[in-house]
Amino acid sequence: MKKFDKKSELKKYLSALKNDKTSIGFVPTMGALHQGHLSLVKSAQEKNDITVVSIFVNPTQFDNKEDLVKYPKTLENDIKLLESVNCDVLFSPSVEEIYAENISSESFNFDGLEHQMEGKFRDGHFDGVGTIVKTLFEIVAPDTAYFGKKDFQQLQIIKKLVEKHSIPLKIKGCDIFREEDGLAMSSRNARLTKEHREAAPFIYKTLKKAKKKFGTKSADKVTKWVEKKFKKHPLLELEYFTIANEKTLETINKKEPKQKYRAFIAVFAGEIRLIDNIRLK
């Protein structure tokens, strides 16, 4: 695996490959890698000649600075994991390499996608995401980039970024990778206490039951049912649950034919914030 930490050196290397018509798959990450990330790498490897993974903990997408400080940084282990699946290229730049002396976000208009769900609770988050993803796309210039559907709102926003800025690449959303007990894999899971880790699968179990109920009940009734279930839970605190249109991400009032819906949830397990979602229809 070739390793780069300088933009210019990576661009030079990839530019030579592109001249040879080599297809490039790209998986942007913030490190603390797990099997979910590796499943994205494998998806990229199946369809491309070369797979590039970036590891960069992006300061501009953290609305909570304490969360940034505590975010796990495990580069040595990440490298071993990437080597175990024969990843071709790792790009792990410093903050200075990406932002120089100006650690700030661009402002983006994602046609309202940024104001739903996570956008309501994490001020400026999607401006930070848009800034780093656009920058990485410019550096790597991949043919296809791969993102997990656990961050479904982020996935839709990145698709919108590519559309609005006419960036010549495809975005591929990959299925959520789960632990055996159903908990969506996340770098944050490693920070859960034993007690909270044991309680966390309740999130996915509730989503699955909500999906079943959505077959016969209104979105409002399903939402109230979920809120009631979490009020009774001694260890998990619901931040939000919403049933939204997959395309607009707007909360729905009533079901309409030929529309695709998804349930989204954010939960605090102690200090750790967990998100998940499930396709409803």
Side-chain angles (χ1 to χ4, degrees), residues 6-167:
K6 295 281 183 284
K7 293 181 286 189
S8 57
E9 290 172 11
L10 176 66
K11 277 171 126 171
K12 186 180 173 186
Y13 175 74
L14 293 177
S15 177
L17 292 176
K18 275 202 162 285
N19 288 339
D20 288 337
K21 303 249 182 328
T22 301
S23 62
I24 297 170
F26 179 43
V27 181
T29 82
M30 292 209 299
L33 301 184
H34 49 67
Q35 292 302 317
H37 294 111
L38 297 188
S39 73
L40 297 179
V41 175
K42 288 170 188 171
S43 293
Q45 288 171 325
E46 282 169 17
K47 300 287 184 184
N48 299 274
D49 300 316
I50 292 283
T51 296
V52 179
V53 171
S54 66
I55 292 178
F56 180 71
V57 181
N58 176 36
T60 64
Q61 70 188 66
F62 285 84
D63 53 315
N64 180 341
K65 296 305 171 198
E66 196 179 322
D67 208 16
L68 171 61
V69 171
K70 287 183 178 176
Y71 194 87
K73 296 165 188 73
T74 57
L75 186 59
E76 214 171 286
N77 189 57
D78 293 345
I79 288 169
K80 283 180 189 167
L81 284 174
L82 290 173
E83 286 175 340
S84 77
V85 294
N86 301 313
C87 180
D88 301 295
V89 177
L90 169 64
F91 179 47
S92 53
S94 64
V95 172
E96 294 72 29
E97 180 68 11
I98 293 294
Y99 287 105
E101 289 170 18
N102 182 26
I103 303 176
S104 62
S105 299
E106 287 181 53
S107 288
F108 291 90
N109 174 2
F110 297 115
D111 293 347
L113 294 174
E114 72 274 32
H115 301 312
Q116 307 303 324
M117 295 171 303
E118 294 293 286
K120 290 177 185 172
F121 292 89
R122 303 180 69 185
D123 191 38
H125 172 67
F126 288 118
D127 280 338
V129 169
T131 300
I132 187 58
V133 170
K134 185 163 166 278
T135 300
L136 289 170
F137 284 169
E138 286 162 0
I139 296 165
V140 177
D143 296 281
T144 310
Y146 296 78
F147 294 85
K149 289 182 183 174
K150 181 175 78 72
D151 297 291
F152 191 85
Q153 184 174 11
Q154 174 180 276
L155 172 65
Q156 297 299 73
I157 277 172
I158 288 163
K159 284 179 178 175
K160 186 64 73 175
L161 172 81
V162 165
E163 177 195 314
K164 293 194 87 165
H165 291 265
S166 303
I167 305 171

Side-chain angles (χ1 to χ4, degrees), residues 224-241:
K224 286 190 168 122
W225 176 83
V226 170
E227 288 169 352
K228 198 172 167 186
K229 293 298 278 183
F230 275 92
K231 265 184 189 152
K232 291 178 182 172
H233 201 289
L235 291 170
L236 301 175
E237 185 188 337
L238 183 68
E239 184 175 47
Y240 69 77
F241 172 84

Side-chain angles (χ1 to χ4, degrees), residues 135-256:
T135 300
L136 289 170
F137 284 169
E138 286 162 0
I139 296 165
V140 177
D143 296 281
T144 310
Y146 296 78
F147 294 85
K149 289 182 183 174
K150 181 175 78 72
D151 297 291
F152 191 85
Q153 184 174 11
Q154 174 180 276
L155 172 65
Q156 297 299 73
I157 277 172
I158 288 163
K159 284 179 178 175
K160 186 64 73 175
L161 172 81
V162 165
E163 177 195 314
K164 293 194 87 165
H165 291 265
S166 303
I167 305 171
L169 68 102
K170 287 183 211 150
I171 300 297
K172 171 79 175 152
C174 300
D175 289 339
I176 298 171
F177 211 79
R178 299 185 180 278
E179 302 284 359
E180 283 184 21
D181 58 14
L183 178 64
M185 284 199 178
S186 167
S187 304
R188 294 169 190 267
N189 294 353
R191 291 173 54 202
L192 292 168
T193 64
K194 185 172 181 289
E195 203 178 18
H196 284 117
R197 175 62 189 84
E198 286 170 3
F202 180 78
I203 300 166
Y204 185 51
K205 281 179 190 160
T206 306
L207 281 180
K208 285 195 291 184
K209 285 178 185 168
K211 176 173 181 163
K212 203 170 177 183
K213 285 181 180 295
F214 188 69
T216 56
K217 297 193 180 337
S218 70
D220 186 52
K221 279 186 178 166
V222 175
T223 301
K224 286 190 168 122
W225 176 83
V226 170
E227 288 169 352
K228 198 172 167 186
K229 293 298 278 183
F230 275 92
K231 265 184 189 152
K232 291 178 182 172
H233 201 289
L235 291 170
L236 301 175
E237 185 188 337
L238 183 68
E239 184 175 47
Y240 69 77
F241 172 84
T242 188
I243 292 172
N245 180 296
E246 272 200 359
K247 194 174 179 187
T248 65
L249 302 181
E250 289 174 1
T251 300
I252 67 162
N253 294 316
K254 61 177 184 177
K255 303 173 199 175
E256 291 175 18

